[in-house]
PDB file of all heavy atoms in Angstrom:
ATOM      1  N   ASP A 325      19.498  -7.329  28.720  1.00 97.00           N
ATOM      2  CA  ASP A 325      20.820  -7.674  28.185  1.00 97.00           C
ATOM      3  C   ASP A 325      20.714  -8.530  26.925  1.00 97.00           C
ATOM      4  O   ASP A 325      21.558  -8.428  26.022  1.00 97.00           O
ATOM      5  CB  ASP A 325      21.643  -8.416  29.240  1.00 97.00           C
ATOM      6  CG  ASP A 325      22.183  -7.493  30.316  1.00 97.00           C
ATOM      7  OD1 ASP A 325      22.639  -6.395  29.977  1.00 97.00           O
ATOM      8  OD2 ASP A 325      22.153  -7.876  31.504  1.00 97.00           O
ATOM      9  N   GLU A 346      27.824   0.984  26.853  1.00 97.00           N
ATOM     10  CA  GLU A 346      26.844   0.492  27.819  1.00 97.00           C
ATOM     11  C   GLU A 346      27.291   0.912  29.214  1.00 97.00           C
ATOM     12  O   GLU A 346      28.420   1.365  29.413  1.00 97.00           O
ATOM     13  CB  GLU A 346      26.740  -1.035  27.751  1.00 97.00           C
ATOM     14  CG  GLU A 346      28.037  -1.733  28.147  1.00 97.00           C
ATOM     15  CD  GLU A 346      27.948  -3.248  28.098  1.00 97.00           C
ATOM     16  OE1 GLU A 346      26.828  -3.791  28.103  1.00 97.00           O
ATOM     17  OE2 GLU A 346      29.010  -3.891  28.057  1.00 97.00           O
ATOM     18  N   SER A 347      26.405   0.746  30.180  1.00 95.00           N
ATOM     19  CA  SER A 347      26.760   1.073  31.556  1.00 95.00           C
ATOM     20  C   SER A 347      27.403  -0.137  32.236  1.00 95.00           C
ATOM     21  O   SER A 347      27.310  -1.271  31.750  1.00 95.00           O
ATOM     22  CB  SER A 347      25.511   1.502  32.330  1.00 95.00           C
ATOM     23  OG  SER A 347      24.607   0.418  32.412  1.00 95.00           O
ATOM     24  N   ILE A 348      28.008   0.121  33.388  1.00 93.00           N
ATOM     25  CA  ILE A 348      28.759  -0.931  34.091  1.00 93.00           C
ATOM     26  C   ILE A 348      27.864  -2.052  34.600  1.00 93.00           C
ATOM     27  O   ILE A 348      28.362  -3.128  34.928  1.00 93.00           O
ATOM     28  CB  ILE A 348      29.569  -0.352  35.266  1.00 93.00           C
ATOM     29  CG1 ILE A 348      28.629   0.375  36.251  1.00 93.00           C
ATOM     30  CG2 ILE A 348      30.657   0.575  34.781  1.00 93.00           C
ATOM     31  CD1 ILE A 348      29.304   0.814  37.540  1.00 93.00           C
ATOM     32  N   VAL A 349      26.539  -1.825  34.667  1.00 93.00           N
ATOM     33  CA  VAL A 349      25.654  -2.862  35.184  1.00 93.00           C
ATOM     34  C   VAL A 349      25.109  -3.752  34.066  1.00 93.00           C
ATOM     35  O   VAL A 349      24.348  -4.678  34.336  1.00 93.00           O
ATOM     36  CB  VAL A 349      24.484  -2.248  35.987  1.00 93.00           C
ATOM     37  CG1 VAL A 349      25.006  -1.440  37.160  1.00 93.00           C
ATOM     38  CG2 VAL A 349      23.592  -1.385  35.107  1.00 93.00           C
ATOM     39  N   SER A 350      25.486  -3.483  32.835  1.00 96.00           N
ATOM     40  CA  SER A 350      24.972  -4.255  31.703  1.00 96.00           C
ATOM     41  C   SER A 350      25.955  -5.361  31.321  1.00 96.00           C
ATOM     42  O   SER A 350      27.111  -5.349  31.723  1.00 96.00           O
ATOM     43  CB  SER A 350      24.715  -3.315  30.516  1.00 96.00           C
ATOM     44  OG  SER A 350      23.851  -2.261  30.907  1.00 96.00           O
ATOM     45  N   SER A 351      25.504  -6.286  30.505  1.00 96.00           N
ATOM     46  CA  SER A 351      26.294  -7.484  30.204  1.00 96.00           C
ATOM     47  C   SER A 351      27.573  -7.156  29.435  1.00 96.00           C
ATOM     48  O   SER A 351      27.556  -6.349  28.497  1.00 96.00           O
ATOM     49  CB  SER A 351      25.452  -8.459  29.378  1.00 96.00           C
ATOM     50  OG  SER A 351      26.257  -9.525  28.897  1.00 96.00           O
ATOM     51  N   SER A 352      28.639  -7.835  29.812  1.00 96.00           N
ATOM     52  CA  SER A 352      29.920  -7.642  29.124  1.00 96.00           C
ATOM     53  C   SER A 352      29.913  -8.241  27.718  1.00 96.00           C
ATOM     54  O   SER A 352      30.879  -8.081  26.969  1.00 96.00           O
ATOM     55  CB  SER A 352      31.056  -8.265  29.945  1.00 96.00           C
ATOM     56  OG  SER A 352      30.831  -9.658  30.143  1.00 96.00           O
ATOM     57  N   LEU A 353      28.818  -8.906  27.345  1.00 97.00           N
ATOM     58  CA  LEU A 353      28.725  -9.470  25.995  1.00 97.00           C
ATOM     59  C   LEU A 353      28.848  -8.382  24.932  1.00 97.00           C
ATOM     60  O   LEU A 353      29.408  -8.625  23.861  1.00 97.00           O
ATOM     61  CB  LEU A 353      27.399 -10.228  25.836  1.00 97.00           C
ATOM     62  CG  LEU A 353      27.099 -10.830  24.466  1.00 97.00           C
ATOM     63  CD1 LEU A 353      28.206 -11.765  23.993  1.00 97.00           C
ATOM     64  CD2 LEU A 353      25.750 -11.562  24.491  1.00 97.00           C
ATOM     65  N   LEU A 354      28.340  -7.177  25.206  1.00 98.00           N
ATOM     66  CA  LEU A 354      28.434  -6.111  24.202  1.00 98.00           C
ATOM     67  C   LEU A 354      29.891  -5.832  23.853  1.00 98.00           C
ATOM     68  O   LEU A 354      30.230  -5.620  22.677  1.00 98.00           O
ATOM     69  CB  LEU A 354      27.767  -4.829  24.703  1.00 98.00           C
ATOM     70  CG  LEU A 354      27.747  -3.692  23.674  1.00 98.00           C
ATOM     71  CD1 LEU A 354      26.819  -4.025  22.521  1.00 98.00           C
ATOM     72  CD2 LEU A 354      27.337  -2.369  24.319  1.00 98.00           C
ATOM     73  N   TYR A 365      34.611   0.446  21.951  1.00 98.00           N
ATOM     74  CA  TYR A 365      33.646   0.101  22.996  1.00 98.00           C
ATOM     75  C   TYR A 365      33.947   0.916  24.238  1.00 98.00           C
ATOM     76  O   TYR A 365      35.110   1.102  24.606  1.00 98.00           O
ATOM     77  CB  TYR A 365      33.745  -1.399  23.299  1.00 98.00           C
ATOM     78  CG  TYR A 365      33.106  -1.838  24.594  1.00 98.00           C
ATOM     79  CD1 TYR A 365      31.728  -1.996  24.695  1.00 98.00           C
ATOM     80  CD2 TYR A 365      33.897  -2.111  25.720  1.00 98.00           C
ATOM     81  CE1 TYR A 365      31.139  -2.411  25.874  1.00 98.00           C
ATOM     82  CE2 TYR A 365      33.316  -2.526  26.907  1.00 98.00           C
ATOM     83  CZ  TYR A 365      31.931  -2.672  26.980  1.00 98.00           C
ATOM     84  OH  TYR A 365      31.355  -3.080  28.158  1.00 98.00           O
ATOM     85  N   GLU A 367      32.550   1.816  28.415  1.00 95.00           N
ATOM     86  CA  GLU A 367      31.717   1.486  29.568  1.00 95.00           C
ATOM     87  C   GLU A 367      31.542   2.754  30.393  1.00 95.00           C
ATOM     88  O   GLU A 367      32.506   3.492  30.603  1.00 95.00           O
ATOM     89  CB  GLU A 367      32.421   0.408  30.396  1.00 95.00           C
ATOM     90  CG  GLU A 367      31.530  -0.356  31.330  1.00 95.00           C
ATOM     91  CD  GLU A 367      32.305  -1.461  32.045  1.00 95.00           C
ATOM     92  OE1 GLU A 367      33.398  -1.203  32.569  1.00 95.00           O
ATOM     93  OE2 GLU A 367      31.783  -2.589  32.090  1.00 95.00           O
ATOM     94  N   THR A 370      26.033   4.152  35.435  1.00 90.00           N
ATOM     95  CA  THR A 370      24.642   3.821  35.161  1.00 90.00           C
ATOM     96  C   THR A 370      23.870   5.044  34.688  1.00 90.00           C
ATOM     97  O   THR A 370      24.024   6.130  35.226  1.00 90.00           O
ATOM     98  CB  THR A 370      23.983   3.267  36.435  1.00 90.00           C
ATOM     99  OG1 THR A 370      24.801   2.223  36.948  1.00 90.00           O
ATOM    100  CG2 THR A 370      22.611   2.725  36.135  1.00 90.00           C
ATOM    101  N   ILE A 375      25.787   7.398  29.123  1.00 96.00           N
ATOM    102  CA  ILE A 375      25.942   6.692  27.846  1.00 96.00           C
ATOM    103  C   ILE A 375      25.846   7.667  26.681  1.00 96.00           C
ATOM    104  O   ILE A 375      26.632   7.616  25.728  1.00 96.00           O
ATOM    105  CB  ILE A 375      24.875   5.586  27.710  1.00 96.00           C
ATOM    106  CG1 ILE A 375      25.093   4.500  28.772  1.00 96.00           C
ATOM    107  CG2 ILE A 375      24.912   4.962  26.313  1.00 96.00           C
ATOM    108  CD1 ILE A 375      23.961   3.484  28.857  1.00 96.00           C
ATOM    109  N   TYR A 385      23.271   0.943  25.145  1.00 98.00           N
ATOM    110  CA  TYR A 385      22.134   0.299  25.800  1.00 98.00           C
ATOM    111  C   TYR A 385      22.414   0.108  27.284  1.00 98.00           C
ATOM    112  O   TYR A 385      23.565   0.148  27.738  1.00 98.00           O
ATOM    113  CB  TYR A 385      21.791  -1.038  25.124  1.00 98.00           C
ATOM    114  CG  TYR A 385      22.331  -2.268  25.819  1.00 98.00           C
ATOM    115  CD1 TYR A 385      21.573  -2.923  26.796  1.00 98.00           C
ATOM    116  CD2 TYR A 385      23.597  -2.770  25.528  1.00 98.00           C
ATOM    117  CE1 TYR A 385      22.073  -4.039  27.445  1.00 98.00           C
ATOM    118  CE2 TYR A 385      24.090  -3.881  26.165  1.00 98.00           C
ATOM    119  CZ  TYR A 385      23.323  -4.512  27.137  1.00 98.00           C
ATOM    120  OH  TYR A 385      23.815  -5.617  27.791  1.00 98.00           O
ATOM    121  N   GLU A 386      21.326  -0.100  28.027  1.00 96.00           N
ATOM    122  CA  GLU A 386      21.405  -0.410  29.448  1.00 96.00           C
ATOM    123  C   GLU A 386      20.427  -1.534  29.752  1.00 96.00           C
ATOM    124  O   GLU A 386      19.351  -1.608  29.152  1.00 96.00           O
ATOM    125  CB  GLU A 386      21.068   0.832  30.266  1.00 96.00           C
ATOM    126  CG  GLU A 386      21.357   0.679  31.742  1.00 96.00           C
ATOM    127  CD  GLU A 386      21.524   2.034  32.407  1.00 96.00           C
ATOM    128  OE1 GLU A 386      20.527   2.759  32.535  1.00 96.00           O
ATOM    129  OE2 GLU A 386      22.655   2.352  32.796  1.00 96.00           O
ATOM    130  N   GLU A 387      20.806  -2.390  30.708  1.00 94.00           N
ATOM    131  CA  GLU A 387      20.026  -3.610  30.939  1.00 94.00           C
ATOM    132  C   GLU A 387      18.577  -3.332  31.340  1.00 94.00           C
ATOM    133  O   GLU A 387      17.710  -4.172  31.160  1.00 94.00           O
ATOM    134  CB  GLU A 387      20.698  -4.478  32.002  1.00 94.00           C
ATOM    135  CG  GLU A 387      20.969  -3.812  33.327  1.00 94.00           C
ATOM    136  CD  GLU A 387      19.733  -3.614  34.173  1.00 94.00           C
ATOM    137  OE1 GLU A 387      18.910  -4.531  34.247  1.00 94.00           O
ATOM    138  OE2 GLU A 387      19.584  -2.516  34.750  1.00 94.00           O
ATOM    139  N   ALA A 388      18.276  -2.118  31.842  1.00 92.00           N
ATOM    140  CA  ALA A 388      16.915  -1.784  32.275  1.00 92.00           C
ATOM    141  C   ALA A 388      16.044  -1.387  31.083  1.00 92.00           C
ATOM    142  O   ALA A 388      15.286  -0.422  31.152  1.00 92.00           O
ATOM    143  CB  ALA A 388      16.959  -0.677  33.311  1.00 92.00           C
ATOM    144  N   THR A 440      22.720 -13.256  32.827  1.00 94.00           N
ATOM    145  CA  THR A 440      22.601 -12.159  33.789  1.00 94.00           C
ATOM    146  C   THR A 440      21.337 -12.320  34.623  1.00 94.00           C
ATOM    147  O   THR A 440      20.370 -12.955  34.214  1.00 94.00           O
ATOM    148  CB  THR A 440      22.568 -10.788  33.083  1.00 94.00           C
ATOM    149  OG1 THR A 440      21.465 -10.745  32.181  1.00 94.00           O
ATOM    150  CG2 THR A 440      23.860 -10.530  32.332  1.00 94.00           C
ATOM    151  N   ARG A 500      30.671 -11.524  37.580  1.00 95.00           N
ATOM    152  CA  ARG A 500      30.797 -10.124  37.981  1.00 95.00           C
ATOM    153  C   ARG A 500      29.540  -9.696  38.719  1.00 95.00           C
ATOM    154  O   ARG A 500      28.428 -10.127  38.378  1.00 95.00           O
ATOM    155  CB  ARG A 500      30.994  -9.247  36.740  1.00 95.00           C
ATOM    156  CG  ARG A 500      31.162  -7.762  37.019  1.00 95.00           C
ATOM    157  CD  ARG A 500      30.413  -6.937  36.001  1.00 95.00           C
ATOM    158  NE  ARG A 500      28.976  -7.111  36.081  1.00 95.00           N
ATOM    159  CZ  ARG A 500      28.125  -6.821  35.115  1.00 95.00           C
ATOM    160  NH1 ARG A 500      28.565  -6.365  33.971  1.00 95.00           N
ATOM    161  NH2 ARG A 500      26.807  -6.994  35.270  1.00 95.00           N
ATOM    162  N   VAL A 502      27.681  -6.081  40.491  1.00 94.00           N
ATOM    163  CA  VAL A 502      27.675  -4.645  40.801  1.00 94.00           C
ATOM    164  C   VAL A 502      26.501  -4.389  41.740  1.00 94.00           C
ATOM    165  O   VAL A 502      25.385  -4.858  41.493  1.00 94.00           O
ATOM    166  CB  VAL A 502      27.534  -3.784  39.529  1.00 94.00           C
ATOM    167  CG1 VAL A 502      27.469  -2.301  39.889  1.00 94.00           C
ATOM    168  CG2 VAL A 502      28.698  -4.037  38.570  1.00 94.00           C
ATOM    169  N   TYR A 515      23.452  -6.385  40.362  1.00 94.00           N
ATOM    170  CA  TYR A 515      23.469  -6.874  38.982  1.00 94.00           C
ATOM    171  C   TYR A 515      24.505  -7.998  38.884  1.00 94.00           C
ATOM    172  O   TYR A 515      25.687  -7.798  39.193  1.00 94.00           O
ATOM    173  CB  TYR A 515      23.838  -5.743  38.026  1.00 94.00           C
ATOM    174  CG  TYR A 515      22.949  -4.528  38.150  1.00 94.00           C
ATOM    175  CD1 TYR A 515      23.199  -3.548  39.110  1.00 94.00           C
ATOM    176  CD2 TYR A 515      21.852  -4.343  37.309  1.00 94.00           C
ATOM    177  CE1 TYR A 515      22.396  -2.433  39.226  1.00 94.00           C
ATOM    178  CE2 TYR A 515      21.040  -3.228  37.417  1.00 94.00           C
ATOM    179  CZ  TYR A 515      21.316  -2.273  38.378  1.00 94.00           C
ATOM    180  OH  TYR A 515      20.523  -1.162  38.494  1.00 94.00           O
ATOM    181  N   GLU A 517      26.339 -11.250  36.719  1.00 96.00           N
ATOM    182  CA  GLU A 517      26.622 -11.842  35.405  1.00 96.00           C
ATOM    183  C   GLU A 517      27.567 -13.014  35.575  1.00 96.00           C
ATOM    184  O   GLU A 517      28.557 -12.939  36.322  1.00 96.00           O
ATOM    185  CB  GLU A 517      27.259 -10.825  34.453  1.00 96.00           C
ATOM    186  CG  GLU A 517      27.558 -11.450  33.084  1.00 96.00           C
ATOM    187  CD  GLU A 517      28.073 -10.462  32.058  1.00 96.00           C
ATOM    188  OE1 GLU A 517      28.946  -9.638  32.413  1.00 96.00           O
ATOM    189  OE2 GLU A 517      27.618 -10.509  30.906  1.00 96.00           O
TER     190      GLU A 517
END
Side-chain angles (χ1 to χ4, degrees):
D325 284 318
E346 64 179 341
S347 64
I348 58 172
V349 300
S350 305
S351 171
S352 59
L353 177 56
L354 184 69
Y365 164 78
E367 199 177 48
T370 309
I375 295 171
Y385 99 90
E386 190 158 70
E387 55 74 43
T440 59
R500 181 220 66 200
V502 178
Y515 305 85
E517 180 175 44

